[in-house]
Amino acid sequence: MQYLSNSRRIARALKPLALLETDVRFASHVVDSTQWQNHRSPSVSVSPGLMMLRSSFSSEAKHVEDPTEAVKELHGKILDSVNVKRSMPPNALLWSLIENCRKEDDISFLFDALQNLRRFRLSNLRIHDNFNCNLCRQVAKTLCKRALWKHNVHGLTPSVASAHHLLSYALEHKNANLMDEVMKLLKANDLPLQPGTADLVFRICHETDSWDLLAKYSKKFCKAGVKLRKTTFDVWMEFAAKRGDTESLWKVDKLRSETYTQHTLSAAFSCAKGFLLEHKPEEAAAVIQIICQAYPDEKKSALEAEFKKLVNEWPVDVLKHQNEEDKKAVAASLRSDIPAMVNALVKSGLRVSVDLDELNKNEALLS
C-alpha cells in the first residue's frame, strides 16, 4: 500500500531518538524547549497509559522504526492523504492517532503527522490558524511540553487546560520538578495563572514536602491577584501546621480571612493545631467548638476523621520537622496539651470521639 511505503520512508528519515536513561515505568522528565527550537527529535519514556518526553540526549541513538501497528497505519494514511492525494484527511484519523499512542515511537510519529498536517494547511489550504483547542488539549494528554509552547511547528496552541494535564500528572506521581518546569513554561509562554493552577501547585508542594517551592509560588499567585480557593488555603494551612510553623500558619489564616469570613473544617483544625503548638489548649478547643456547632449532623463523620488525624498523625508530622534539640520538649507539650484540649471540649458539652490511648501509645511522642 502507498501509505505504508510512505510511513516506512518517513521512519527512516526521522532523526534518531536518545536512548532511555531511566526506568520507563515512572518517567518524570520532559524535553527542554531549547532542544526543540533546534528541531531535534525527543526521546520518550513511557509510564502505564502515559508518556513523558526526556530532557537530555545521549551520544548513542536508535532510529524510530518501531511504532505500534495502529499508529503506523494511521500515520501512513495521514501522510498519504496530504503528500500523495493532496487532500486534507478526515479529522477522525488524527484523533485516533492521538488515542493510540502507547510508546516512545508512537509519539514521534504523532508529531511528525502534526507537522505535515500544519504544513499542508498553510501551503494548500491557506489556513494560518493552529489546530482547535480541543485537539491541542488532547495532544497535551500525551504529556509533551511542546503543547505549552507559543511558537512551535506543530500547529498547537498553548493553554492553561493543557498545563493542567501536566500538573495533574505531576500530582499523581508526586513530581515537584515537573511542576516547577511547567510553571516556568506558563510564564515563558504568557499563560495566565488561575485558581485551578494554584490548587494543583499547592497540593503538589504539600505531597512532596516542598515548602520552599510553595512559598515561592504562593508569592507569585498572590502578586498576580489570583483568588485562591478555599481548598487551596486548606492545603496551605495544613502544610504549615504539619511543619509546626505557627508564624506562617497565622499569616496564611489572615490572608484567608480577607477573602473568606468562615473557616472550613480543615482550616479550623489547622488553627487548633497552631494553638496547641503555642501551648493554648483552651483556645484550640474554642476554635473546634465553633466549627463543630456550625457543622451539620450528617457530616459528623468528617469531624471524627479530623480528630483522628490530630491525635494519631499530626504529632508525628510535627516532630519530623523539628530540630533534634526541640523534639523532646514539643513531644512533651503535645502529650499534655492534646488531652487538655479534649477535656475542655467535653466540659463544653461537645461529644468528642477521640481515643487518647492512641496518643499515649504513639512512639514518636514517647521517644
Side-chain angles (χ1 to χ4, degrees):
M1 299 270 306
Q2 179 67 42
Y3 62 79
L4 288 177
S5 176
N6 284 336
S7 183
R8 294 190 189 98
R9 189 163 56 250
I10 288 296
R12 290 192 296 269
L14 287 174
K15 293 184 179 180
L17 293 179
L19 291 175
L20 299 181
E21 299 171 357
T22 59
D23 187 339
V24 296
R25 293 171 300 169
F26 303 105
S28 60
H29 297 288
V30 286
V31 70
D32 183 76
S33 60
T34 56
Q35 294 165 335
W36 270 96
Q37 287 165 356
N38 292 327
H39 308 294
R40 300 181 67 178
S41 300
S43 71
V44 183
S45 298
V46 182
S47 64
L50 295 171
M51 286 168 286
M52 184 59 59
L53 294 177
R54 286 282 294 151
S55 60
S56 60
F57 290 86
S58 168
S59 57
E60 301 181 60
K62 65 177 180 179
H63 290 282
V64 183
E65 294 181 347
D66 190 31
T68 57
E69 286 301 317
V71 166
K72 185 186 297 184
E73 181 176 349
L74 291 163
H75 174 269
K77 287 181 178 180
I78 291 172
L79 265 62
D80 184 62
S81 181
V82 297
N83 294 334
V84 179
K85 298 177 182 178
R86 310 304 294 172
S87 64
M88 195 67 183
N91 288 336
L93 286 180
L94 182 55
W95 282 88
S96 183
L97 177 57
I98 296 169
E99 292 169 0
N100 277 280
C101 284
R102 294 289 182 271
K103 59 179 184 176
E104 56 180 283
D105 291 351
D106 293 346
I107 204 167
S108 294
F109 270 56
L110 165 62
F111 278 90
D112 178 72
L114 287 170
Q115 187 170 350
N116 274 272
L117 284 169
R118 182 174 185 270
R119 187 184 301 120
F120 181 81
R121 281 156 54 98
L122 283 170
S123 61
N124 291 66
L125 305 180
R126 300 295 186 267
I127 298 175
H128 295 270
D129 294 336
N130 284 342
F131 294 109
N132 68 62
C133 58
N134 289 329
L135 188 139
C136 292
R137 285 197 294 269
Q138 194 69 17
V139 171
K141 290 181 181 180
T142 65
L143 301 178
C144 175
K145 285 201 305 184
R146 280 172 286 172
L148 301 184
W149 295 345
K150 186 165 54 176
H151 304 293
N152 63 76
V153 297
H154 307 287
L156 301 175
T157 300
S159 70
V160 174
S162 294
H164 286 182
H165 284 303
L166 286 163
L167 290 174
S168 295
Y169 179 90
L171 175 61
E172 180 184 355
H173 294 271
K174 298 183 179 181
N175 190 332
N177 290 331
L178 172 58
M179 179 211 74
D180 196 30
E181 291 177 10
V182 172
M183 292 302 293
K184 290 175 181 176
L185 277 174
L186 284 174
K187 180 180 179 181
N189 292 280
D190 301 320
L191 292 172
L193 299 177
Q194 294 187 356
T197 316
D199 210 49
L200 285 165
V201 168
F202 280 49
R203 287 164 63 193
I204 294 167
C205 290
H206 184 201
E207 290 295 323
T208 58
D209 199 25
S210 304
W211 178 258
D212 290 341
L213 266 182
L214 189 148
K216 168 186 172 181
Y217 283 113
S218 63
K219 292 177 182 177
K220 292 183 182 295
F221 282 108
C222 292
K223 185 177 180 180
V226 176
K227 181 182 178 181
L228 300 181
R229 297 172 178 172
K230 290 181 180 180
T231 52
T232 307
F233 279 113
D234 287 348
V235 170
W236 198 356
M237 293 177 68
E238 182 180 352
F239 197 1
K242 279 186 176 181
R243 292 177 54 82
D245 186 348
T246 54
E247 181 181 357
S248 295
L249 175 62
W250 301 132
K251 286 181 179 179
V252 177
D253 188 48
K254 183 178 183 298
L255 185 63
R256 177 208 57 78
S257 67
E258 294 173 2
T259 307
Y260 305 103
T261 56
Q262 294 183 336
H263 286 99
T264 62
L265 181 64
S266 177
F269 268 82
S270 291
C271 288
K273 293 168 185 174
F275 284 124
L276 288 171
L277 290 167
E278 294 178 343
H279 317 299
K280 300 174 181 177
E282 291 80 11
E283 284 86 342
V287 171
I288 292 177
Q289 184 180 8
I290 292 172
I291 195 68
C292 286
Q293 290 171 347
Y295 230 64
D297 291 337
E298 60 268 21
K299 293 186 177 180
K300 293 299 184 184
S301 60
L303 284 169
E304 294 179 7
E306 287 293 340
F307 273 119
K308 187 175 181 179
K309 287 195 294 183
L310 187 150
V311 173
N312 298 344
E313 301 173 16
W314 173 66
V316 177
D317 290 325
V318 170
L319 293 176
K320 283 180 182 177
H321 291 92
Q322 301 301 309
N323 296 323
E324 285 298 325
E325 58 269 22
D326 297 330
K327 283 186 176 180
K328 286 187 177 181
V330 173
S333 173
L334 294 177
R335 282 201 307 270
S336 62
D337 288 340
I338 291 177
M341 178 197 73
V342 173
N343 290 335
L345 287 170
V346 173
K347 288 180 181 178
S348 70
L350 190 69
R351 294 180 61 184
V352 181
S353 179
V354 178
D355 186 1
L356 290 177
D357 288 338
E358 291 297 322
L359 182 69
N360 298 324
K361 295 176 185 177
N362 195 318
E363 294 182 2
L365 295 177
L366 296 176
S367 59

